[in-house]
Amino acid sequence: MAVAAGGAVTVTTTCVRLLSAPRSLAAIRTSSFVTTLSYSKLGFFPVRIRNNEPARKKLLVIRAARTESQGVSLGSRAPNFQLPEPLTGKTWTLEDFESYPALLVMFICNHCPFVKHLKKDLAKLSNFYMKKGLAVVAISSNSVATHPQDGPQFMAEDAKLYNYPFPYLYDENQDVARDFGAVCTPEFFLFKKDGRRPFELVYHGQFDDSRPSNSVPVTGRDLSLAIDSVLSGQPVPSAQKPSVGCSIKWHPQKSL
């Protein structure tokens, strides 16, 4: 606020640009699953200035807890599991996927912004590769004591809403998450299977470089390239970027 000659008062307000519109990127052309999505609408938001308070710039920063997937040894076997699917009531086990050449296990949930950012594309990528012989299963291990919105009733609703082509299973006691070494959502484990040998972990990395807070379009590039390699009998590169997301919400008595 400034007082001009003659007693006139001039008030200056300031707007802060919270998000900038993303620059256009050339479409990535590969034989793998790549989808071009329209960007979310980004805007500018005014900063409110209290009465009798000097005008000044105010920057609003939205912070979200970020957890990276941790080192799980490539080549390790897929842990056994026996989990219910809330949508159908069916119980699924690892043996149900033994006839497939590859298995993708995804740890997701309902509420996490990092998962919400990818939900439609998880369904699209899964639909694309399931037609090529990939088996896919998703697991939610979050505690309903702390996050009831991740409970089985809401899991079933999410599965219907996004038309998940894969079973979405509920890990109530969180033992399966611990057996896999999962720590965040989303987190991806891609296993290959050679004949009668057990499923062997070949990829434990990110979906792609897109995050809720950046302007990178969702393509699924990293994961799709790994799946392409497995289904074509090619080795998957060992250099893999970790997945980034929300931490798994452990039961209070089982906090790490």
Side-chain angles (χ1 to χ4, degrees), residues 12 14 47 49 53-58:
T12 302
T14 306
V47 174
I49 300 177
E53 182 178 0
R56 62 179 183 271
K57 291 183 178 180
K58 295 183 179 181

Side-chain angles (χ1 to χ4, degrees), residues 16-185:
V16 177
R17 184 177 180 177
L18 295 183
L19 294 171
S20 58
R23 294 175 292 181
S24 61
L25 298 176
I28 301 172
R29 295 182 178 179
T30 68
S31 61
S32 59
F33 169 87
V34 176
T35 181
T36 302
L37 300 177
S38 60
Y39 296 104
S40 300
K41 294 181 180 179
L42 305 179
F44 300 86
F45 301 86
V47 174
R48 295 181 180 178
I49 300 177
R50 296 179 181 176
N51 294 334
N52 302 322
E53 182 178 0
R56 62 179 183 271
K57 291 183 178 180
K58 295 183 179 181
L59 178 62
L60 303 181
V61 179
I62 299 175
R63 300 184 183 275
R66 295 162 60 97
T67 300
E68 289 189 355
S69 56
Q70 299 176 356
V72 176
S73 299
L74 296 179
S76 60
R77 295 183 178 183
N80 290 316
F81 60 83
Q82 183 175 347
L83 296 173
E85 180 184 12
L87 180 62
T88 64
K90 178 179 177 180
T91 297
W92 293 79
T93 69
L94 181 64
E95 292 182 357
D96 292 320
F97 305 99
E98 285 292 323
S99 62
Y100 293 86
L103 170 65
L104 174 62
V105 179
M106 307 182 294
F107 283 84
I108 64 173
C109 66
N110 294 350
H111 87 277
C112 173
F114 291 90
V115 178
K116 287 183 175 181
H117 183 62
L118 300 178
K119 283 181 179 180
K120 291 181 180 178
D121 296 277
L122 295 178
K124 288 180 181 179
L125 181 142
S126 297
N127 264 318
F128 182 84
Y129 282 111
M130 288 171 71
K131 295 175 183 177
K132 295 179 177 292
L134 177 71
V136 182
V137 61
I139 299 172
S140 177
S141 301
N142 277 359
S143 172
V144 296
T146 59
H147 290 74
Q149 65 269 47
D150 288 334
Q153 175 186 344
F154 301 106
M155 289 174 59
E157 293 176 2
D158 239 33
K160 285 184 179 179
L161 178 63
Y162 292 96
N163 197 24
Y164 286 159
F166 46 77
Y168 185 19
L169 311 183
Y170 180 42
D171 178 24
E172 182 176 10
N173 60 21
Q174 305 183 320
D175 288 341
V176 174
R178 293 179 182 277
D179 289 343
F180 273 81
V183 296
C184 65
T185 57

Side-chain angles (χ1 to χ4, degrees), residues 193-236:
K193 195 172 191 301
D194 293 326
R196 296 183 179 181
R197 298 182 62 183
F199 280 113
E200 177 183 305
L201 183 66
V202 293
Y203 184 79
H204 181 225
Q206 65 176 8
F207 193 74
D208 57 26
D209 289 325
S210 185
R211 305 286 184 266
S213 58
N214 67 22
S215 60
V216 178
V218 178
T219 64
R221 185 176 186 275
D222 294 57
L223 181 57
S224 67
L225 289 177
I227 297 172
D228 281 334
S229 296
V230 171
L231 295 181
S232 63
Q234 302 299 315
V236 178

